[in-house]
Amino acid sequence: MRNSLIKKFDYLNLKISPSIYYLFKWFTTLLLFFVLVFVNYGYILAPIFAVVYYFMFDIILLDMNINNRRFDLESDALLYFDVFLLSLKGTKNIRKSLEITCESVNNNLSKEIYKMLKDIKYGRTFDESMSKLIDTIPSEIICNILISIREASRTGNKLNDSVSVQLELLKERRDKNILTNYKLIPLSMFIVLLMFVLILLSCILLIKYFI
């Protein structure tokens, strides 16, 4: 459970201790519970709202943001790796092609790969830096492309075919994601609104209780 949470933090580049995260989660859940206990029918509402809040906490703060980040990175990958393959044909050098692509393409994925290249300049090997980058990417397809690049750097194998196949998968997933996200917009808005109402209600009741 803890390792799964750390993995989610890595995907979002969050520098926070799991212990602090769990403490905040439990504290806010208990606060909501004890606040709701003092309203009418609080003995019924408090446990229901507290349980809903507790289980929705990770979904809204972590899972939804990870899905958004995956969607954004996969959209960025289509342009980035197209330019990368074109550059690779000219340079025949993977690292140089990555550098040229980072200079040519300005998006979130490009910034992540640029950070990886900077790590190499600070003393890390290409393998170490690429492995670190892979651990922070919440997209299996992008990770497969990065793994192919890492292996090609080790062995000298050609990249065009393997990367092109993964890019085709990305295009298919992008089309499906656009349709799926469109359908999920009402549900996402409802979930966010529900959390906002719960927090707002807790604050109002807490203020009334102490005044």
Side-chain angles (χ1 to χ4, degrees):
M1 185 73 174
R2 182 183 177 91
N3 289 337
S4 174
L5 184 62
I6 292 174
K7 190 70 175 176
K8 291 181 179 182
F9 287 171
D10 288 340
Y11 286 154
L12 295 171
N13 291 321
L14 292 178
K15 307 300 181 184
I16 182 175
S17 165
S19 300
I20 293 176
Y21 177 85
Y22 281 126
L23 181 63
F24 180 77
K25 181 178 177 180
W26 274 107
F27 174 78
T28 54
T29 301
L30 291 174
L31 178 63
L32 176 65
F33 177 84
F34 285 115
V35 168
L36 291 177
V37 162
F38 295 100
V39 305
N40 293 333
Y41 303 103
Y43 61 94
I44 297 175
L45 296 176
I48 294 174
F49 280 104
V51 169
V52 170
Y53 175 87
Y54 182 84
F55 285 103
M56 295 305 298
F57 192 87
D58 288 350
I59 294 174
I60 291 178
L61 289 187
L62 298 178
D63 296 340
M64 289 178 65
N65 284 315
I66 288 173
N67 285 334
N68 289 336
R69 176 168 158 78
R70 177 179 63 80
F71 181 80
D72 290 341
L73 290 175
E74 288 183 349
S75 297
D76 294 344
L78 293 172
L79 174 61
Y80 185 91
F81 290 115
D82 276 340
V83 175
F84 168 73
L85 290 178
L86 289 173
S87 176
L88 189 61
K89 289 180 181 179
T91 65
K92 308 297 183 183
N93 182 289
I94 289 176
R95 181 175 168 184
K96 184 64 176 177
S97 297
L98 290 172
E99 292 174 351
I100 292 173
T101 307
C102 287
E103 293 173 358
S104 304
V105 178
N106 182 23
N107 58 33
N108 290 328
L109 180 60
S110 177
K111 292 174 183 176
E112 294 295 330
I113 294 176
Y114 178 74
K115 292 178 187 176
M116 183 271 293
L117 294 171
K118 283 184 68 175
D119 284 345
I120 297 174
K121 293 179 180 179
Y122 292 146
R124 279 198 175 98
T125 65
F126 185 87
D127 273 20
E128 290 172 342
S129 299
M130 185 63 79
S131 298
K132 179 184 174 183
L133 173 63
I134 290 169
D135 287 339
T136 66
I137 301 296
S139 166
E140 181 181 355
I141 297 178
I142 295 178
C143 286
N144 287 338
I145 295 175
L146 295 175
I147 290 170
S148 296
I149 293 173
R150 184 183 64 187
E151 295 306 312
S153 177
R154 290 175 180 172
T155 62
N157 292 337
K158 292 184 178 180
L159 272 172
N160 288 49
D161 291 341
S162 59
V163 174
S164 296
V165 169
Q166 296 298 326
L167 288 179
E168 286 300 318
L169 292 176
L170 273 180
K171 291 175 184 177
E172 293 177 8
R173 176 178 285 185
R174 179 193 60 183
D175 295 338
K176 291 179 181 178
N177 282 341
I178 290 173
L179 180 60
T180 301
N181 288 343
Y182 178 77
K183 292 180 178 179
L184 290 177
I185 286 175
L187 177 60
S188 301
M189 291 179 64
F190 172 76
I191 292 174
V192 173
L193 181 61
L194 177 62
M195 290 291 290
F196 176 77
V197 170
L198 288 176
I199 295 172
L200 182 62
L201 179 62
S202 300
C203 292
I204 293 173
L205 293 175
L206 190 63
I207 292 172
K208 286 185 177 181
Y209 178 73
F210 284 105
I211 290 181

